[in-house]
Amino acid sequence: YTLSLHDALPILIDLFGLTAEQVRHDFPEVYQHVAETVKPERDSNNRASYQKNWWTFGEPRSDLRPALENLSRYIATVETAKHRVFQFLDAEILPDNMLVAIASKDAAQLAILSSVIHLNWVSVNSASLGMYIGDVRYTKSRCFDPFPFPDASDAHKATLRALGEELDGTRKRVLAEHPDLTLTGLYNVLEKLKSREPLTPEDEDVKHRGLVLIIKELHEQIDRAAFEAYGWPHTLGDEEILARLVALNAERAEEEARGMVRWLRPDYQRPRFGKGLVSEVAVEFDLGDNVIAIDKGLPVFPKDRYEQPLSVKRVLMAASQPMSADAIARAFKGPAKVRVQRVEDILKVLLRYGDIVDMGEGKFAARAAA
């Protein structure tokens, strides 16, 4: 329930877990307010549970509450917004129906969600409201649940985590120091900078006080770190990003059908959802002309077993960074899973003969020429 205190921000009254008697005894002012403003409407509601438990939320979000337990913060984004911004909220803040809450305190995941890779996915799978130009609705079932996060190394996660913390901290510090500034205002100027649109004197003021150039640089570094976490080139266009995400989504669906689930919060998710249960299969998307073939222009993996090591070595020599067996398998036309084991065997042979270098964490690189 929302209670306005003078010109302050609305306050959400959450009485979940308390009986009416406890509220009346411990919080009499709150009880009186809810009894006066909420109970009359609940008394006329057709749902018996709403009438009986008139002082509590009608929908207590039984899935979200346990997910937020023991978290000091969680990631949130406004369901409908001109600019898709993800930020941390303190766990004491209860999200209302206009927020999409993601039960994670990991800044690496905040960084991935803030990256151009995720935002491209959102641009195709979110719904336009048609009320304001550019305003779109972030739908959990379409934008978040089927989105394939990267199988990132610890080093990549550390980089993403540091950038995510800095982005969130910078924005929070700016807004705390300048109460007249808003996230929307900051990102309005950021978009103008990205499109090289001339800035008004007001925009220049926001840019200066809001540290928008730093925010812009942090987003650029996050984008680069996200590409590296996926093992993808930094030069991919929007269509190529979407194509790779769709292909990765399909691969994850195959994995989950076999019982292999890449949990985002294994300590929380595995005990609750991993016992004898295969995670629901990733959603298949028909993106039509928005996506080009993922393997367009890729070489064919040779059938000749003696030519295969040379092809793998060529892929590593052309790569700008170490690659895993899975990434090498995806560098050829067709489904990657059918040749991952063969690529792993080839890497062992190349390593034995000194043609490649083991870079750790399952990644390999071509040995530099003497």
Side-chain angles (χ1 to χ4, degrees):
Y1 314 110
T2 301
L3 172 64
S4 294
L5 299 178
H6 305 293
D7 295 326
L9 293 174
I11 295 176
L12 197 67
I13 300 177
D14 177 27
L15 303 176
F16 179 78
L18 299 176
T19 66
E21 290 72 20
Q22 287 175 314
V23 178
R24 187 177 62 240
H25 181 269
D26 296 336
F27 310 102
E29 295 86 357
V30 172
Y31 183 91
Q32 178 162 304
H33 172 78
V34 176
E36 180 181 7
T37 60
V38 177
K39 193 173 186 301
E41 185 276 330
R42 287 295 186 87
D43 287 341
S44 61
N45 195 290
N46 292 329
R47 295 180 64 172
S49 62
Y50 281 25
Q51 295 180 21
K52 180 180 179 181
N53 302 305
W54 57 267
W55 65 97
T56 64
F57 285 114
E59 303 295 339
R61 302 303 182 197
S62 57
D63 292 334
L64 178 62
R65 287 181 185 272
L68 294 178
E69 286 182 3
N70 302 318
L71 289 182
S72 58
R73 63 185 183 180
Y74 61 92
I75 301 171
T77 186
V78 179
E79 184 182 60
T80 303
K82 179 180 180 181
H83 305 294
R84 182 54 50 203
V85 177
F86 295 85
Q87 61 180 310
F88 282 120
L89 293 183
D90 191 279
E92 294 184 357
I93 300 175
L94 186 67
D96 67 5
N97 64 309
M98 297 306 294
L99 286 180
V100 177
I102 299 166
S104 172
K105 64 177 182 179
D106 192 349
Q109 292 174 15
L110 182 141
I112 289 293
L113 292 172
S114 302
S115 72
V116 67
I117 294 176
H118 181 62
L119 297 182
N120 267 279
W121 176 267
V122 172
S123 69
V124 173
N125 295 304
S126 57
S128 177
L129 298 182
M131 293 187 301
Y132 303 101
I133 297 175
D135 278 17
V136 293
R137 174 176 290 141
Y138 188 92
T139 307
K140 175 180 174 292
S141 62
R142 298 284 298 179
C143 298
F144 180 80
D145 289 345
F147 176 72
F149 279 77
D151 185 17
S153 67
D154 290 341
H156 286 140
K157 287 179 182 177
T159 299
L160 287 163
R161 193 167 291 124
L163 290 169
E165 293 283 10
E166 187 175 357
L167 175 65
D168 190 66
T170 299
R171 295 182 308 204
K172 281 183 168 60
R173 185 172 66 253
V174 162
L175 297 181
E177 292 174 353
H178 307 284
D180 59 311
L181 298 183
T182 64
L183 273 177
T184 299
L186 296 179
Y187 278 81
N188 282 341
V189 174
L190 176 59
E191 290 303 314
K192 285 188 175 183
L193 289 173
K194 290 165 62 176
S195 63
R196 300 183 182 277
E197 183 179 342
L199 301 185
T200 66
E202 291 78 10
D203 293 334
E204 289 286 354
D205 176 63
V206 172
K207 183 185 75 171
H208 175 69
R209 292 191 295 134
L211 303 180
V212 178
L213 288 178
I214 292 177
I215 293 173
K216 179 176 180 290
E217 182 176 330
L218 287 171
H219 273 288
E220 291 169 350
Q221 291 186 23
I222 284 173
D223 289 343
R224 189 174 185 86
F227 279 117
E228 292 177 352
Y230 278 96
W232 297 346
H234 307 150
T235 55
L236 292 180
D238 292 349
E239 290 184 341
E240 293 172 302
I241 291 172
L242 289 171
R244 287 173 181 259
L245 288 173
V246 170
L248 187 55
N249 171 277
E251 286 186 18
R252 296 288 171 79
E254 293 176 5
E255 290 178 352
E256 293 182 5
R258 297 195 302 270
M260 177 182 176
V261 181
R262 300 172 187 267
W263 307 109
L264 291 179
R265 280 182 63 194
D267 57 330
Y268 171 78
Q269 293 172 306
R270 189 176 288 119
R272 290 164 175 78
F273 311 119
K275 296 179 180 179
L277 177 66
V278 175
S279 178
E280 65 181 46
V281 173
V283 179
E284 295 182 3
F285 292 98
D286 178 14
L287 301 182
D289 296 334
N290 291 308
V291 177
I292 60 176
I294 182 64
D295 59 3
K296 183 179 181 181
L298 296 181
V300 175
F301 192 65
K303 293 182 179 180
D304 189 323
R305 294 178 66 85
Y306 295 100
E307 293 182 8
Q308 291 170 358
L310 294 175
S311 295
V312 169
K313 187 176 177 181
R314 279 195 291 267
V315 168
L316 286 173
M317 291 176 65
S320 60
Q321 59 187 9
M323 298 178 69
S324 64
D326 186 65
I328 295 170
R330 291 200 303 268
F332 297 92
K333 284 184 182 294
K337 292 299 179 183
V338 300
R339 55 179 169 271
V340 171
Q341 184 59 57
R342 175 57 182 157
V343 170
E344 290 177 348
D345 293 340
I346 291 171
L347 290 171
K348 293 176 183 177
V349 173
L350 293 175
L351 189 63
R352 187 181 308 127
Y353 283 95
D355 292 330
I356 63 175
V357 179
D358 187 342
M359 305 301 290
E361 299 182 342
K363 303 278 182 78
F364 300 86
R367 184 176 293 279

